[in-house]
Structures are given as C-alpha cells and as structure tokens.
Amino acid sequence: LIVQARVRRDTSALYTYDLGRRKLDPEPLVGVDGFDVTALRFDHKQGRVVGVPVYAQRPTWVWFDEGLAAAQAAVDKALPAGRSNVLLCGDCAGARRFVVDSRSDRQPGEYHVFDVAAGKLTLLAARRPWLAVSLPSSRRWSSTLKTSGCACASSSKRMTL
C-alpha cells in the first residue's frame, strides 16, 4: 500500500505501508525537499503503480517502470535541455508511442509524438508559435531538477538522487 504522509518533514511524501505489520516505512518511497509529492500514475492493464509526478522547480516524473524510464530518458536527451517533457498516456507501460508535452520558461510548449521502437520524435504542434522563443522570462525554472533532496525508490530497493 502506498500512502501520502508527512513524517519528520514539512512536505508530503509517498511511503509504503505494511498492512500486515500495521507499520509505515520510515523512509519515503518518493520525497522531494521543499515540495509536496501527492500523486501516482497507476497502470490499469498491469495493475500497479508505474510512476510519480514531481512538481518541483521543473515538473518531471519518477518512473518505476523500466520501459517508461527509458522512454523518458530518450525524450529528455532528444529535446533541448531545461525543458519539462511529460509523456501523455493513459495506461503507459508497454506503449509503443507517446504524445510528449514539452515546455520551459522560454518555450510555451510543443507537442511531439515519440516512437519508442524507432527512438524518433515528430513535432505535432507548437503552442503560441508567434512568440519568439528567445524572449526573456519573468519566471525561471531551473534547467535541471535539483535532485539532491529527492529520495526515490523502486519496489525492490531505495535510492537517493
């Protein structure tokens, strides 16, 4: 069982709860210092949690499913650094294609299709294409997620990013 709690911290994190022992794991499954972690991505076809959205300085995902983690890494590598790239899908695990919402403080957003087998991104549409991408922004997102305060774990082991 996965639950949301605040244990020895001022923000919410996700923890595993052992129903048999009636005990909360003292270490978070996913927790980010300074930000609440409150949601899960459940894959109904596989009957399990496959990822967690992290709405930190730059929105990102922690994927427990290896295929989704690999797809996210390939998309992040293919698109410009500093963007938040979200895989849009329903039951995501095992998907052959994803729609990707890619945006940043300097890019209002683009939609791409990512073909997993080909490792190829194809631009579908741009959000507000009339805006110059180089315009300065009044709000800046970090070009990389500060992971020093992110504790993440797979179902078999815990790790701190």
Side-chain angles (χ1 to χ4, degrees):
L1 181 65
I2 298 173
V3 298
Q4 174 188 344
R6 293 178 186 226
V7 178
R8 298 183 312 274
R9 56 187 304 130
D10 63 350
T11 56
S12 295
L14 300 178
Y15 294 83
T16 55
Y17 184 80
D18 186 326
L19 288 171
R21 294 180 12 214
R22 295 184 176 189
K23 187 169 180 170
L24 185 71
D25 192 316
E27 295 299 318
L29 182 64
V30 179
V32 180
D33 289 341
F35 298 93
D36 289 322
V37 178
T38 61
L40 301 169
R41 171 61 62 90
F42 188 82
D43 189 292
H44 293 89
K45 288 181 183 176
Q46 294 200 357
R48 64 185 179 94
V49 174
V50 294
V52 175
V54 177
Y55 301 105
Q57 293 170 338
R58 181 173 52 95
T60 191
W61 281 79
V62 173
W63 294 109
F64 303 134
D65 180 89
E66 290 180 17
L68 291 169
Q72 183 75 58
V75 166
D76 290 344
K77 184 177 179 183
L79 290 168
R83 288 194 184 185
S84 172
N85 304 309
V86 177
L87 305 179
L88 303 176
C89 51
D91 290 332
C92 301
R96 295 180 301 194
R97 289 183 192 86
F98 297 97
V99 173
V100 178
D101 180 1
S102 179
R103 63 178 84 184
S104 74
D105 63 337
R106 296 182 179 263
Q107 170 48 259
E110 297 174 336
Y111 291 100
H112 300 262
V113 172
F114 178 65
D115 184 307
V116 175
K120 180 180 175 188
L121 275 171
T122 304
L123 180 65
L124 284 176
R127 210 183 269 124
R128 298 184 181 105
W130 59 88
L131 293 178
V133 174
S134 62
L135 288 175
S137 172
S138 61
R139 177 180 175 190
R140 293 186 180 265
W141 287 351
S142 173
S143 62
T144 59
L145 173 66
K146 292 183 177 178
T147 57
S148 61
C150 178
C152 307
S154 70
S155 58
S156 62
K157 61 182 177 183
R158 300 196 178 274
M159 60 185 159
T160 301
L161 300 178

